[in-house]
Amino acid sequence: MSTTFEIIPVEKKNITFRQVIDLSEQRINSFFDSLKIKSNIKLEINLHEISERYVKEVDLDSEFFWTDNEYVWFTINGIPGGTDAYCERIKDDFDESNPWGIFEEMILNNKTIKDFELKIDKSKKLNIYWRLRRSAGQRASINVAYGIISASIAELTGGFIWTEDGAWNFSKFPAEPHEFYKWYFKPDSEDDGDLKEWAISCLGGIAYELK
């Protein structure tokens, strides 16, 4: 089983890989510091063709964009595993009757984002989103990091995060990054018992992984 976070930009889409890496490292290390875990997390990335016909290094100063037959693989230096990221168009050109259907459930589930439909109108003009996937069996550090990377992308683009496949408590999405940081992997802020228990278990394993 895998879970995903989708990041919908609102204000801009022209960010660089370096910006994503730098802010994500800052936010991940800050999170671990809050747990009294000494860390100096460094993220590494490369670009894969979807069928693994090639793997390329990434120019960190290039635009945070790649084609739909590629994915970007994020890893934490020294930690096995990682998270794969995809870059896609929002508009479904194959569904003429409802090309923006991706937004319908987001609107229905929204509880915290003000002027949400106006922000969606801005997102439609950008017509791009990113999706970060975490496969089952990843290390605890990766479980935490892929969400924080997602929130960092949202922060850089003035956007929001969405999930509907169990990546986190569905009732809290869509979420802007300042809200996401308040409760993501914060067991005391979680009322879903199973999710709270899983978060506690993951947090307990991070110090061991980062030794």
Side-chain angles (χ1 to χ4, degrees), residues 12-200:
K12 62 180 180 179
K13 62 181 179 180
N14 297 322
I15 59 175
T16 67
F17 285 94
R18 189 180 302 279
Q19 288 176 298
V20 172
I21 293 294
D22 287 351
L23 184 59
S24 297
E25 289 178 347
Q26 179 185 336
R27 296 289 183 245
I28 294 168
N29 283 311
S30 177
F31 178 83
F32 290 155
D33 286 347
S34 73
L35 301 175
K36 311 300 182 187
I37 298 173
K38 293 182 179 180
S39 66
N40 185 24
I41 289 297
K42 293 294 182 184
L43 295 175
E44 298 178 352
I45 57 172
N46 48 40
L47 181 70
H48 294 240
E49 194 273 333
I50 205 80
S51 301
E52 304 297 344
R53 288 186 290 184
Y54 58 78
V55 179
K56 296 180 179 180
E57 292 185 359
V58 174
D59 176 0
L60 294 182
D61 293 315
S62 64
E63 186 177 350
F64 191 65
F65 176 82
W66 52 99
T67 64
D68 58 8
N69 70 324
E70 297 173 317
Y71 69 91
V72 169
W73 181 242
F74 286 84
T75 61
I76 295 175
N77 188 26
I79 302 292
T83 178
D84 41 322
Y86 302 85
C87 182
E88 301 171 355
R89 300 294 179 187
I90 298 174
K91 186 178 181 182
D92 185 354
D93 291 322
F94 295 100
D95 187 350
E96 294 182 1
S97 64
N98 191 19
W100 302 106
I102 187 174
F103 290 117
E104 290 182 349
E105 193 165 13
M106 297 180 193
I107 293 170
L108 290 173
N109 213 52
N110 177 50
K111 301 178 184 68
T112 62
I113 302 178
K114 296 179 180 179
D115 301 319
F116 189 47
E117 293 195 40
L118 292 176
K119 291 179 178 180
I120 285 176
D121 286 341
K122 289 184 175 182
S123 296
K124 288 178 179 179
K125 293 177 182 177
L126 298 178
N127 193 25
I128 192 174
Y129 76 104
W130 298 273
R131 177 168 51 90
L132 268 69
R133 186 183 74 95
R134 178 197 65 89
S135 58
Q138 292 289 344
R139 300 296 178 95
S141 301
I142 301 296
N143 295 339
V144 172
Y146 93 114
I148 297 180
I149 295 168
S150 299
S152 297
I153 298 168
E155 190 175 350
L156 288 166
T157 60
F160 59 90
I161 307 112
W162 171 253
T163 185
E164 55 185 339
D165 61 9
W168 203 255
N169 189 332
F170 176 67
S171 68
K172 296 181 176 180
F173 293 89
E176 292 179 309
H178 68 277
E179 290 293 331
F180 184 91
Y181 292 132
K182 291 178 182 177
W183 40 252
Y184 184 62
F185 268 94
K186 304 287 180 65
D188 291 343
S189 301
E190 185 50 58
D191 53 11
D192 182 307
D194 290 340
L195 190 55
K196 183 173 184 175
E197 184 177 338
W198 181 67
I200 291 170

Side-chain angles (χ1 to χ4, degrees), residues 1-20:
M1 176 184 174
S2 62
T3 55
T4 57
F5 286 117
E6 297 174 1
I7 306 96
I8 316 295
V10 172
E11 298 299 334
K12 62 180 180 179
K13 62 181 179 180
N14 297 322
I15 59 175
T16 67
F17 285 94
R18 189 180 302 279
Q19 288 176 298
V20 172

